[in-house]
Amino acid sequence: MPIVVAKGDGIGPEIMDATLMILNEAGANLEYHFIEVGEKVYLAGNKAGIAPESWDLLRELKVFLKAPITTPQGGGYKSLNVTARKTLGLYANVRPAVSYVPFVESKYPNMDLVIVRENEEGMYVGIEHQQTPDQVQALKIISRPGCEKICLYAFEYARRYGRKRVTAFVKDNIMKMTDGLFHKIFEQVAKLYPDIQSDHWIVDIGMAKMAATPESFDVLVMPNLYGDIASDVAAQIAGSVGLAGSANIGDHCAMFEAIHGSAPRRAGQGIANPSGLLHGAILMLIHLGQPEVAGRIHNAWLCALEDGVHTYDIAKPGEKSVGTTDFAKGVIQKLGRKPKTLKAIEYAQAPAQAMKTYKYISPQVERKLLGVDVGVFNNIQKVKALGDQLTQIGGSAFELKTISSRGIPVYPGSNEEVFTVDHYIARFLAKSGSCTQADIRSLLEKIEAQKIEWIRLDNLYLIDGAQGFSQ
């Protein structure tokens, strides 16, 4: 089976060589096609860290085993990880977190959970603006089909792997529309899986609960940023971030990797732990329909842990550690064996593939335009003077309901305690109960005529009779 392989940067080449050594000795049916990605490609002038012909190969072969890479600081360089996930439609990021007590130190001997992270949306869309000297802003995007796909994937994963419960982490007590949509879709999908328990937590207390009693959870599903943070926390409290791998699954392609970075300070020393990348490769073998090989490698790795084959990062005080290559050789020597203390692994079921039967149908809804939020740049006028002026501009067509700064209402009324910046949002609602885009253009022309600089606008709608904007 042909796959694309990238050795990456920092410790990447060392741990990839060790991983491929184990795959080969275990009898994995794989054909490697190597590409260059990461720092060298960035510095050669490619802002994405990958050459166009490499994209072509990825789309052709559809499976990517990638070692960690280094993204140069500054200069507009884009994260290859984020770019690959979005470009290839890898919407589901699957990250198991398991403890290996007593061979790897952890306070949670019964920890065995899986985090399913939405991989394309949320804060990681990377849409940011600076329109005034004082303020920058980032756009958080949550879509209905994005929520449906990731929630379906989480429940399907739970069913196929015999998991009992799926839990959502959201922050919809604050972000009532974005996280509120994720929560709503989660509840709808949960009804399709009556054989699986479901619940949800507000993300802050949920993560606190996970850090305190991770054995309370089974499968966790959540938006992008929360999933990134939660999966690193889970990996670390399970034993080490260096042991964790991840699968990035889409409808057409898949990418497998370690969750840790390139660790340039450790590069070239031959001491790095290849376990994270190896676990990514195990997930890849399952995805490719080679579960027997995946189980053989995983059990050999567990036996190596039991026999004290430990790299420096997991070795206990006074224990002699091994280097990267010797660790790989130690795993290879255990091939065919099963662990005695830790639970043996058997991958017999089909993997949780992307939902190929998923077809999104956009709901038919009634949309009614009520008004507009107009962002204005103001670093001279006092808020009351600005508000009075905008009220007059609204005239007979629009009512100025409020002006806010940093999301805090500052007009009408006296809010001298509020610290304001030079970016204000003026909310206009049509006095007739509805308006047209032509009405909004006319309003903007009047604002410009009064020498007020508008810098952004967001139309305000009723969606099927429900308010489609925050208060």
Side-chain angles (χ1 to χ4, degrees):
M1 294 183 176
I3 67 169
V4 180
V5 177
K7 293 190 174 184
D9 302 311
I11 61 171
E14 301 163 62
I15 63 174
M16 180 61 81
D17 287 343
T19 297
L20 297 182
M21 182 190 309
I22 296 169
L23 291 175
N24 293 336
E25 292 296 328
N29 177 25
L30 299 171
E31 176 184 284
Y32 308 128
H33 295 257
F34 293 93
I35 62 172
E36 185 79 47
V37 299
E39 192 169 31
K40 290 181 181 178
V41 183
Y42 281 119
L43 297 179
N46 192 311
K47 296 291 186 181
I50 182 171
E53 56 270 21
S54 296
W55 284 123
D56 294 337
L57 187 62
L58 285 169
R59 291 188 175 97
E60 177 186 351
L61 301 185
K62 303 184 185 307
V63 177
F64 187 20
L65 180 61
K66 183 186 71 64
I69 66 166
T70 299
T71 304
Q73 295 294 313
Y77 298 108
K78 297 180 179 179
S79 165
L80 175 60
N81 291 341
V82 175
T83 300
R85 291 164 186 161
K86 293 195 290 187
T87 301
L88 299 175
L90 310 179
Y91 66 87
N93 191 328
V94 183
R95 295 186 172 187
V98 183
S99 65
Y100 305 101
V101 174
F103 306 102
V104 178
E105 185 176 349
S106 172
K107 297 179 181 178
Y108 310 103
N110 300 317
M111 181 176 179
D112 182 2
L113 60 82
V114 177
I115 293 175
V116 178
R117 163 191 171 193
E118 199 289 318
N119 224 14
E120 298 177 288
E121 299 185 344
M123 296 302 298
Y124 282 29
V125 295
I127 301 174
E128 300 180 289
H129 302 98
Q130 181 172 5
Q131 296 157 332
T132 72
D134 286 352
Q135 180 173 305
V136 294
Q137 59 199 29
L139 188 61
K140 177 175 180 174
I141 292 179
I142 300 288
S143 74
R144 182 178 298 274
C147 295
E148 289 182 356
K149 289 174 72 175
I150 198 63
C151 290
L152 282 165
Y153 189 95
F155 279 94
E156 193 68 17
Y157 183 99
R159 177 177 284 175
R160 294 183 183 185
Y161 287 100
R163 298 276 179 164
K164 304 300 183 184
R165 183 157 60 102
V166 179
T167 303
F169 279 5
V170 291
K171 189 66 177 173
D172 58 341
N173 60 328
I174 302 298
M175 286 167 280
K176 300 180 184 299
M177 298 190 67
T178 50
D179 284 28
L181 178 61
F182 193 100
H183 185 183
K184 178 182 177 181
I185 297 300
F186 174 81
E187 298 290 353
Q188 292 174 355
V189 171
K191 293 177 181 178
L192 304 176
Y193 295 82
D195 53 318
I196 298 172
Q197 301 173 40
S198 64
D199 61 345
H200 85 280
W201 288 70
I202 297 299
V203 64
D204 43 10
I205 191 62
M207 286 199 191
K209 176 72 172 176
M210 183 190 72
T213 57
E215 64 274 10
S216 302
F217 297 105
D218 196 355
V219 175
L220 291 164
V221 62
M222 61 196 79
N224 204 333
L225 177 60
Y226 307 153
D228 194 5
I229 298 169
S231 57
D232 277 9
V233 172
Q236 188 62 32
I237 65 176
S240 171
V241 171
L243 301 182
S246 75
N248 300 266
I249 307 295
D251 289 328
H252 307 289
C253 300
M255 179 174 71
F256 303 88
E257 57 188 346
I259 74 170
H260 61 75
S262 59
R265 290 183 300 171
R266 304 295 184 187
Q269 301 175 43
I271 63 173
N273 190 340
S275 296
L277 184 60
L278 181 63
H279 279 110
I282 290 170
L283 295 171
M284 178 187 70
L285 290 170
I286 300 167
H287 177 81
L288 289 172
Q290 301 184 42
E292 299 85 359
V293 182
R296 189 180 309 131
I297 294 172
H298 204 154
N299 284 319
W301 182 84
L302 293 172
C303 290
L305 286 188
E306 289 186 345
D307 291 350
V309 183
H310 297 164
T311 48
Y312 80 97
D313 55 318
I314 59 173
K316 296 177 181 178
E319 180 183 18
K320 184 179 179 181
S321 62
V322 300
T324 309
T325 301
D326 285 339
F327 182 86
K329 291 178 179 178
V331 173
I332 290 169
Q333 289 173 359
K334 315 298 180 187
L335 289 169
R337 286 177 46 185
K338 292 189 176 181
K340 298 177 180 178
T341 302
L342 298 170
K343 183 180 179 181
I345 302 296
E346 182 178 358
Y347 294 113
Q349 294 178 318
Q353 300 284 1
M355 305 299 294
K356 294 185 181 300
T357 58
Y358 173 84
K359 291 183 179 180
Y360 179 70
I361 300 176
S362 181
Q364 297 298 309
V365 299
E366 180 182 350
R367 298 164 63 242
K368 182 179 180 181
L369 184 58
L370 303 182
V372 64
D373 280 347
V374 181
V376 297
F377 173 51
N378 173 53
N379 62 351
I380 300 175
Q381 284 183 297
K382 291 186 176 181
V383 175
K384 185 179 185 308
L386 175 65
D388 291 346
Q389 188 176 11
L390 289 173
T391 296
Q392 291 184 351
I393 291 172
S396 61
F398 289 95
E399 177 186 4
L400 177 67
K401 296 295 292 186
T402 184
I403 297 177
S404 61
S405 176
R406 299 184 299 136
I408 306 170
V410 294
Y411 180 93
S414 176
N415 289 284
E416 295 180 358
E417 301 85 358
V418 176
F419 179 78
T420 60
V421 295
D422 58 10
H423 188 142
Y424 293 85
I425 300 295
R427 173 161 292 179
F428 292 93
L429 292 179
K431 291 182 177 180
S432 65
S434 66
C435 62
T436 66
Q437 291 184 327
D439 295 330
I440 293 173
R441 285 196 296 271
S442 176
L443 175 66
L444 295 176
E445 289 173 354
K446 293 176 181 177
I447 291 173
E448 290 177 9
Q450 294 299 313
K451 308 300 182 183
I452 299 173
E453 181 184 352
W454 64 270
I455 51 180
R456 59 168 294 179
L457 68 154
D458 293 285
N459 288 356
L460 308 176
Y461 288 92
L462 278 183
I463 307 293
D464 265 352
Q467 184 172 294
F469 49 93
S470 59
Q471 294 292 344

